[in-house]
Amino acid sequence: MFQANLTSVTIFLFLGFSHYPKVDITVFVLCLLMYLTTLLGNMILISITILDSRLHTPMYFFLSNLSFLDIWYTSSALSPMLANFVSGKNTISFSGCAAQMYFSLAMGSSECVLLSMMAYDRYVAICNPLKYPIIINKRVCVQIAAVSWVTGCLTAFVETVSVLQLPLCGNSIINHFACEILAVLKLSCVDTSKVKLIMLVITILLLPMPMLLICISYALILSNILRISSADGQSKAFSTCAAHLTVVVLFYGVALYVYLKPSGVDSKEIDKFMTLVYAGLTPMLNPIIYSLRNKDVKAAVKKLLIRNLFGTALISVLK
């Protein structure tokens, strides 16, 4: 599949933040903290949604899928960079670059679809609460999650193959800290218009279209909320959507800038920092946002901590 490039390029070299040598260690520390916080926060969120029976609902099923995606997404984007910094080698093999590009795209694309499906879930929960258990049942939840994963994996495969089959003519220096698809595409020495067209179509399918579905869902939700006479009812309805909206604005805002900005805009260094935002900061903030703004999650965490502390104390006493 990638035979043409294997004969010309076998190792890629990352420039990373070499233009700013004084910030290298700062970026490493920040990325390490974001990565560890992402792992810890999302693992806790997945654990409590499994262990607490009160959280066995569609919303938390989607939330645990989102956390799982974030773990893999951040790991594929940041862990190679952290490993390279420790080892002192800013290189990656061709196959390693292909794997990193594929998993980053697959997880990010799946998240785009899943976030739009979560907006639909909130729409049904607020606008059709009596029919909610029927419309969003277990089977539908699994189907929605499967569609998100399959869509992300398939589109990522198409994009990765389209870019990495292009002849690179010996160009092996990636002006980035990861095998980001736009950075790798710039290494090609042939006309890339067809590949760019494929990427544009996929980007439109995964960014503006899901964003449109989210906007329609929340417009209907807002219209329904404004008809609620009770102030408490309005507050509760707003609170159930606030966390998801915050995540959507962070994730889609940065992704739209990176992948749909005008081609004439040359912003290589800004793109690197933007990648840090959607590959590191957003996955780290997701569990924090949902935990801080959700009473059920906070109650489940307290219950889990108390149970563990009690269990530890009981074991120490028995010893």
Side-chain angles (χ1 to χ4, degrees):
M1 187 179 299
F2 302 129
Q3 187 175 0
N5 277 334
L6 286 172
T7 58
S8 57
V9 175
T10 58
I11 298 291
F12 288 104
L13 174 67
F14 295 125
L15 287 183
F17 295 94
S18 57
H19 296 300
Y20 307 98
K22 293 183 179 180
V23 304
D24 263 5
I25 185 65
T26 303
V27 171
F28 171 77
V29 172
L30 288 175
C31 288
L32 181 61
L33 290 175
M34 285 192 296
Y35 182 53
L36 294 177
T37 304
T38 298
L39 291 181
L40 180 62
N42 284 290
M43 283 180 178
I44 290 175
L45 208 50
I46 292 172
S47 299
I48 62 175
T49 55
I50 293 173
L51 297 174
D52 196 315
S53 58
R54 294 175 302 175
L55 302 183
H56 292 174
T57 62
M59 185 177 76
Y60 295 106
F61 172 77
F62 295 137
L63 185 55
S64 61
N65 269 267
L66 181 64
S67 293
F68 190 75
L69 281 170
D70 283 337
I71 289 173
W72 279 97
Y73 187 33
T74 305
S75 296
S76 63
L78 295 186
S79 56
M81 183 194 71
L82 297 173
N84 283 339
F85 187 91
V86 173
S87 65
K89 297 178 180 179
N90 286 331
T91 59
I92 190 171
S93 65
F94 187 90
S95 57
C97 182
Q100 184 187 38
M101 184 187 298
Y102 172 75
F103 281 109
S104 296
L105 287 171
M107 299 303 105
S109 301
S110 298
E111 187 161 335
C112 286
V113 181
L114 184 62
L115 286 173
S116 65
M117 294 296 99
M118 289 173 70
Y120 174 71
D121 170 70
R122 292 298 83 209
Y123 158 72
V124 178
I126 292 174
C127 298
N128 295 285
L130 298 179
K131 295 182 179 179
Y132 180 70
I134 300 173
I135 298 175
I136 310 294
N137 53 50
K138 289 184 179 180
R139 182 180 177 183
V140 171
C141 289
V142 173
Q143 289 174 342
I144 288 174
V147 167
S148 301
W149 282 89
V150 170
T151 301
C153 291
L154 287 178
T155 54
F157 180 78
V158 171
E159 289 184 295
T160 302
V161 171
S162 298
V163 171
L164 292 182
Q165 72 178 353
L166 294 172
L168 304 179
C169 304
N171 296 330
S172 61
I173 301 176
I174 301 176
N175 190 9
H176 212 281
F177 61 82
C179 284
E180 207 275 333
I181 189 168
L182 295 178
V184 175
L185 184 62
K186 291 176 182 177
L187 302 182
S188 179
C189 55
V190 297
D191 181 32
T192 59
S193 57
K194 290 183 179 179
V195 175
K196 287 181 178 178
L197 179 60
I198 293 173
M199 290 178 57
L200 178 62
V201 172
I202 292 176
T203 300
I204 291 173
L205 290 174
L206 293 176
L207 286 175
M209 288 189 65
M211 193 69 184
L212 178 62
L213 177 60
I214 291 171
C215 291
I216 293 173
S217 297
Y218 278 104
L220 295 173
I221 288 171
L222 180 62
S223 175
N224 188 272
I225 289 175
L226 294 176
R227 290 200 296 266
I228 299 175
S229 57
S230 169
D232 291 336
Q234 288 185 347
S235 176
K236 185 177 180 180
F238 273 119
S239 66
T240 60
C241 301
H244 182 250
L245 269 176
T246 306
V247 171
V248 165
V249 170
L250 283 171
F251 184 81
Y252 278 97
V254 177
L256 285 169
Y257 168 80
V258 172
Y259 290 103
L260 287 181
K261 70 177 183 295
S263 57
V265 177
D266 188 13
S267 54
K268 296 183 181 67
E269 303 306 317
I270 295 176
D271 287 350
K272 296 175 190 177
F273 286 101
M274 285 296 184
T275 302
L276 286 179
V277 172
Y278 71 75
L281 185 61
T282 305
M284 181 190 73
L285 292 178
N286 281 355
I288 297 174
I289 291 170
Y290 280 107
S291 299
L292 291 177
R293 298 196 60 88
N294 195 295
K295 294 180 181 178
D296 293 334
V297 172
K298 288 188 285 187
V301 171
K302 289 179 182 178
K303 181 180 176 181
L304 185 62
L305 290 175
I306 291 172
R307 184 192 302 170
N308 288 340
L309 290 173
F310 178 76
T312 305
L314 182 61
I315 291 172
S316 61
V317 169
L318 292 175
K319 286 183 177 180

